[in-house]
Amino acid sequence: MEDKWADLFERIDACRNCELCKTRINTVPGMGNPEADIMFVGEAPGAEEDYQGRPFVGASGQLLDQMMNSIHLNRENTYITNIIKCRPPRNRTPLPEEAQVCMPYFREQVRLVRPKIIVALGATAAKYLIDSNIAITKQRGIWVERKGLHMIATFHPSYLLRDQSQKRLAWADFKSIRDKMKELGISPERSTDDE
Ligand code: URA
């Protein structure tokens, strides 16, 4: 399994399938527990993530950590990645063609991790994972099941930093994630590496 991860990360690093490779500092493949039951998926790396090569390490990552911690999740018992592995210039929304060439890497991550729950953070992740016409304000917090994989969309933490009034709804979504974990028999303690 380790070989498969190393091979995937090498291919992402060597990827020249879209223009984003010209402006990135680092690729940001993903991080966390490769056997996690829960995967969090954002849009694309920002400046700090591009600099460090790790997802959600800037301000929105700190908020994500807080929200995950509130339901006993952390970077050791989850897997965190983005739809797009390279930073779009000036953090613009990724183009559909960029998502198209990058999605195979994400799909491979899902095949390797085999999560039971995927949380789409924000409209872009929700659009590519759940419904191409999704309206995040209306459809966040609603569970969708596909082939035994449970998916939910919630607001992106960077949106919550801009509009604090939406935090209440995001907390409700995290409580719903906690309940779904319980329903599926997922105990955060059990999804750490110490099994
Ligand atoms: N926003 C994202 O969608 N992903 C990151 O990794 C950081 C900020």
Side-chain angles (χ1 to χ4, degrees), residues 94-131:
L95 304 172
E97 48 272 34
E98 291 162 352
Q100 197 191 346
V101 292
C102 217
M103 278 299 276
Y105 299 128
F106 171 76
R107 288 196 203 100
E108 204 165 325
Q109 289 176 308
V110 174
R111 280 196 294 275
L112 291 174
V113 176
R114 294 189 298 123
K116 297 190 176 100
I117 293 176
I118 291 184
V119 181
L121 299 166
T124 297
K127 169 177 160 182
Y128 290 108
L129 300 184
I130 298 177
D131 174 354

Side-chain angles (χ1 to χ4, degrees), residues 28 41-50 54-61 64 75 80-84 91 121-122 124-125 156-158:
V28 184
V41 186
E43 175 175 309
E48 193 56 33
E49 290 78 19
D50 184 34
R54 297 190 303 149
F56 283 101
V57 287
S60 61
L64 177 62
R75 289 176 192 246
I80 302 180
T81 188
N82 286 299
I83 294 289
I84 303 282
N91 300 341
L121 299 166
T124 297
H156 193 287
S158 67

Side-chain angles (χ1 to χ4, degrees), residues 9-26:
F9 276 35
E10 265 170 38
R11 277 184 286 124
I12 292 174
D13 250 356
C15 185
R16 302 281 181 275
N17 291 345
C18 78
E19 296 284 302
L20 299 183
C21 67
K22 296 186 180 157
T23 47
R24 73 184 179 212
I25 300 172
N26 286 298

Side-chain angles (χ1 to χ4, degrees), residues 173-184:
D173 296 341
F174 272 70
K175 279 189 200 141
S176 174
I177 296 166
R178 185 194 58 195
D179 292 346
K180 182 63 80 180
M181 282 163 51
K182 212 176 265 176
E183 181 189 320
L184 297 177

